[in-house]
Amino acid sequence: SSDLENSIIEYNSKLCTIIKSPEFSSLDDEAIKKIADSTEAKFIKSNDNKLKMFSWGVFESLQIPFYSNLLMSNNTRSNMISRNSNDNNDFGENVQYDSIIDITIQNKSYYVLLGSNKSGNLCLYKTASVYSIIDFAIVKCINVFFDGKNYLSDIKFDYLINENIKAEPAFSLKNNQIECPVFNNDKTRLTGTVLYNLIIK
């Protein structure tokens, strides 16, 4: 109903305002985790503790929930990388990021964000992106995945749950290379993988 939709928009707006506030950024990790737990949100951070993410969903009881993600870092402004509220302020892919992996390229720190889109409890779509912290700002890295021919800013795969897929498909990251599953045309069978090198120009 319109009342429910308006309440979700209001909830997201208030939550974004709180998370972006100086008071919130001054909280320690334990306090932020308590807030995340009380709102059923996710709070994750990088191994070096420099990058943190607050991620939450609405309409989670429905087949396709709306997910939003906000990145935070010490002494930097927060960065809303996606917001899904079903209104004019809605932007970004409907993905909930749930992992931050630290990597080092040319002696500089970068962060691989992994996320998924869910239909009910089933993950049908997964994506990976890379971010860095530059001059007190959180910045998305562009054209960093190289497959030998093309440079991409994001890599992703999607699939359909069925009896041919026994284990949940996932990215594999090792030595600044990320392996991505490949499926047949109807997305029902895993046929191989493609390897991407992480390259910062």
Side-chain angles (χ1 to χ4, degrees), residues 144-157:
V144 293
F145 297 103
F146 182 61
D147 64 0
K149 294 181 180 179
N150 303 303
Y151 287 93
L152 302 171
S153 299
D154 307 278
I155 55 174
K156 55 192 72 176
F157 65 87

Side-chain angles (χ1 to χ4, degrees), residues 51 71 73 76-79 81 109-111 113 129-142 144:
L51 190 65
L71 284 173
S73 183
T76 69
R77 57 181 177 82
S78 58
N79 189 353
I81 62 173
S109 296
Y110 297 90
Y111 307 93
L113 271 59
S129 306
V130 179
Y131 283 78
S132 64
I133 301 172
I134 302 175
D135 296 331
F136 304 106
I138 301 169
V139 178
K140 181 176 181 178
C141 300
I142 305 300
V144 293

Side-chain angles (χ1 to χ4, degrees), residues 15-185:
L15 190 55
C16 289
T17 300
I18 292 171
I19 297 172
K20 289 181 177 182
S21 69
E23 294 82 3
F24 188 91
S25 61
S26 66
L27 296 174
D28 60 28
D29 290 350
E30 184 177 348
I32 294 176
K33 187 178 185 305
K34 286 182 179 179
I35 294 172
D37 292 342
S38 67
T39 58
E40 297 184 357
K42 287 183 179 291
F43 175 63
I44 56 176
K45 57 184 181 178
S46 59
N47 286 336
D48 64 9
N49 291 319
K50 291 182 179 179
L51 190 65
K52 304 172 184 178
M53 175 172 290
F54 203 83
S55 178
W56 69 94
V58 295
F59 296 126
E60 291 201 292
S61 61
L62 300 183
Q63 186 175 6
I64 302 178
F66 293 94
Y67 291 110
S68 300
N69 305 274
L70 191 145
L71 284 173
M72 302 169 287
S73 183
N74 298 331
N75 302 318
T76 69
R77 57 181 177 82
S78 58
N79 189 353
M80 198 79 193
I81 62 173
S82 70
R83 177 178 174 182
N84 290 278
S85 57
N86 204 26
D87 73 338
N88 293 331
N89 293 318
D90 191 319
F91 67 91
E93 292 180 307
N94 191 19
V95 169
Q96 184 173 41
Y97 289 93
D98 54 21
S99 300
I100 300 176
I101 301 174
D102 305 45
I103 60 172
T104 301
I105 299 177
Q106 298 174 358
N107 296 320
K108 294 183 179 180
S109 296
Y110 297 90
Y111 307 93
V112 180
L113 271 59
L114 303 178
S116 62
N117 176 289
K118 300 177 181 179
S119 176
N121 292 323
L122 304 178
C123 297
L124 303 178
Y125 172 91
K126 294 193 176 184
T127 187
S129 306
V130 179
Y131 283 78
S132 64
I133 301 172
I134 302 175
D135 296 331
F136 304 106
I138 301 169
V139 178
K140 181 176 181 178
C141 300
I142 305 300
N143 295 330
V144 293
F145 297 103
F146 182 61
D147 64 0
K149 294 181 180 179
N150 303 303
Y151 287 93
L152 302 171
S153 299
D154 307 278
I155 55 174
K156 55 192 72 176
F157 65 87
D158 61 293
Y159 60 96
L160 298 176
I161 298 295
N162 67 93
E163 66 277 2
N164 294 318
I165 299 177
K166 304 300 183 183
E168 182 178 333
F171 292 107
S172 175
L173 180 63
K174 186 177 181 180
N175 297 328
N176 294 340
Q177 293 182 319
I178 188 166
E179 193 174 59
C180 178
V182 175
F183 300 85
N184 59 355
N185 289 336

Side-chain angles (χ1 to χ4, degrees), residues 157-158 169 180-184 187 189-196:
F157 65 87
D158 61 293
C180 178
V182 175
F183 300 85
N184 59 355
K187 307 294 184 180
R189 188 185 297 273
L190 183 65
T191 59
T193 59
V194 59
L195 190 66
Y196 293 91

